[in-house]
Amino acid sequence: MSKPTEKKGAVQTTGHAWDGDLQEYNNPLPRWWLWGFYATVVFAVVYWLMYPAWPVGNTFTKGFNTITFEVDGEERTTHWNTRALLVRDMQSSPSAVRQREFLEQIAAASYEEILTDADKISFVRSYAHGIFGDFCAACHQVGGAGIVGLYPNLANDDWLWGGTVERIEETLIQGRLGYMPSYRETLSADQMNDVAVYVLSIAGYEGGDADAIGRGDRIFHGAEGGCFQCHNVGGVGRTSQGAPNLTNNIWQIIDVPNAADHDARVELVKSVLRNGIQRQMPAFADRLSPIEIKVLTAYVHQLGGGQ
Ligand code: HEC
Ligand code: HEC
């Protein structure tokens, strides 16, 4: 056995020898590496102090760094976290900024300005489409076509409550109750038949004898029926009552145009007289912001080609 070799000028050893000749070089870490290591330690400590880091019980150390973002127009500052960062990015992204600018313009503009400006109306269409989908389409259907008998069609130019922007806005804010009484107790079967034949005649349907139409006219415009009080003289409708125009062959409640023949049409009208109508458009004053109501009003107005 020879003595552990001590290469002259070579690497130092730690001086220990195991198993006779097993030695350990004493290679100090390179300086650059060591400083790099210290730097990462310092970085980690600073990071723990600045950002959410360590679990503590059922919470965690939140760090000193903060983030400020906007909620409903109010600035809010909280400890830094990725959710708030996302919210802030969504608010300050170019498209979000553009949307906010448009909403400010819409808020400041009159309906006339909105409806005659191509940029504003195309913004209204895309922005309202989402709100309409969330709040209205469940009843009025995507695109506003409605369901005959249940929910009115908003995409035609026939209005129960009026198609001016003022009336549409009022409809959205306060809701509407469409009500027509049942005539089950007030009119006899013959009288119902007469007035139904009259209603079909003013809508442009032929059939039914002239005498019956004459009797129906008198019921419609007289005390027995009193229909004119809501549907107006001649049945042209009255938006203050939400009572439809009966003369234009656009039907809200009954699907007259698809009925098989005149008898079937008469039966449909009589079913309305027997059952009456009661249906409710909910109020949205406390579910939508004023600007959302404004955008939706302009949207619904241009859907129906408004008045
Ligand atoms: C729960 C179902 C329901 C929802 C949701 C609903 N509506 Fe209605 N809406 C109705 C009914 C029912 C009527 C008809 C009321 C009547 O018979 O007079 C109506 C009527 C209307 C009218 C009047 C139409 C006319 O001819 O005058 C407008 C405008 C309207 N809704 C727009 C909207 C908008 C916009 C929304 C979404 C913010 C909405 N509705 C959400 C059920 C609904
Ligand atoms: C108190 C007011 C009122 C009176 C009175 C009234 N109606 Fe109506 N009528 C309405 C309203 C409101 C509607 C639509 C309800 C709705 O859309 O929710 C309606 C709907 C109808 C419809 C369905 C129209 C459609 O588009 O599908 C017919 C038909 C009709 N009325 C006929 C009559 C006749 C005939 C009389 C008289 C015997 C009469 N109404 C009396 C308020 C009235």
Side-chain angles (χ1 to χ4, degrees):
M1 276 216 194
S2 59
K3 279 197 78 191
T5 39
E6 286 272 341
K7 280 187 248 160
K8 282 271 175 266
V11 191
Q12 272 187 328
T13 68
T14 53
H16 294 286
W18 293 269
D19 268 352
D21 62 351
L22 196 58
Q23 291 186 318
E24 192 182 5
Y25 287 145
N26 184 11
N27 268 334
L29 291 161
R31 206 153 277 258
W32 64 265
W33 192 93
L34 209 58
W35 284 116
F37 176 69
Y38 292 146
T40 58
V41 171
V42 172
F43 175 82
V45 172
V46 171
Y47 196 89
W48 295 337
L49 292 175
M50 296 304 289
Y51 292 96
W54 292 99
V56 177
N58 49 18
T59 165
F60 54 93
T61 59
K62 305 218 160 37
F64 295 121
N65 203 4
T66 58
I67 183 166
T68 302
F69 58 105
E70 234 176 67
V71 181
D72 297 334
E74 270 178 49
E75 287 215 331
R76 201 174 288 179
T77 300
T78 171
H79 72 89
W80 191 96
N81 64 87
T82 46
R83 261 196 67 182
L85 186 67
L86 176 69
V87 170
R88 203 184 58 184
D89 284 353
M90 279 165 55
Q91 287 163 350
S92 54
S93 71
S95 66
V97 169
R98 214 173 131 65
Q99 184 175 82
R100 211 167 24 220
E101 281 168 8
F102 258 117
L103 283 174
E104 277 160 16
Q105 284 178 24
I106 299 280
S110 70
Y111 278 115
E112 206 192 325
E113 283 160 359
I114 298 169
L115 293 166
T116 51
D117 181 307
D119 282 349
K120 289 196 181 66
I121 198 70
S122 90
F123 171 77
V124 159
R125 278 199 197 107
S126 73
Y127 190 73
H129 189 77
I131 319 176
F132 195 88
D134 289 347
F135 290 95
C136 321
C139 293
H140 293 287
Q141 310 296 296
V142 181
I147 300 173
V148 176
L150 295 177
Y151 311 111
N153 184 345
L154 304 178
N156 62 13
D157 205 7
D158 186 48
W159 301 91
L160 291 163
W161 297 97
T164 62
V165 283
E166 292 78 17
R167 292 292 285 175
I168 295 173
E169 190 178 78
E170 203 176 274
T171 298
L172 300 193
I173 290 174
Q174 64 186 31
R176 299 291 191 189
L177 178 66
Y179 173 75
M180 169 166 156
S182 156
Y183 283 87
R184 207 184 286 269
E185 311 290 334
T186 357
L187 296 180
S188 70
D190 286 344
Q191 285 175 312
M192 278 196 201
N193 217 68
D194 293 343
V195 80
V197 170
Y198 169 73
V199 164
L200 289 170
S201 76
I202 59 176
Y205 288 95
E206 312 213 327
D209 66 80
D211 287 350
I213 293 176
R215 288 193 300 271
D217 187 347
R218 284 191 292 281
I219 297 171
F220 194 95
H221 291 101
E224 275 168 315
C227 319
F228 73 100
Q229 287 173 358
C230 295
H231 290 284
N232 217 335
V233 177
V236 296
R238 205 189 285 278
T239 53
S240 61
Q241 303 292 321
N245 182 347
L246 300 174
T247 68
N248 60 6
N249 201 25
I250 297 177
W251 299 84
Q252 304 276 347
I253 304 293
I254 44 181
D255 191 5
V256 173
N258 286 319
D261 55 22
H262 198 260
D263 285 348
R265 289 192 280 272
V266 172
E267 273 315 306
L268 282 176
V269 177
K270 278 161 70 180
S271 72
V272 172
L273 300 178
R274 272 197 305 274
N275 299 327
I277 304 166
Q278 185 158 344
R279 55 180 195 171
Q280 174 86 48
M281 157 74 189
F284 282 91
D286 48 6
R287 281 201 275 167
L288 295 172
S289 68
I291 182 70
E292 286 172 323
I293 288 189
K294 192 168 185 181
V295 170
L296 270 179
T297 298
Y299 177 73
V300 169
H301 184 274
Q302 58 86 42
L303 264 188
Q307 283 168 350

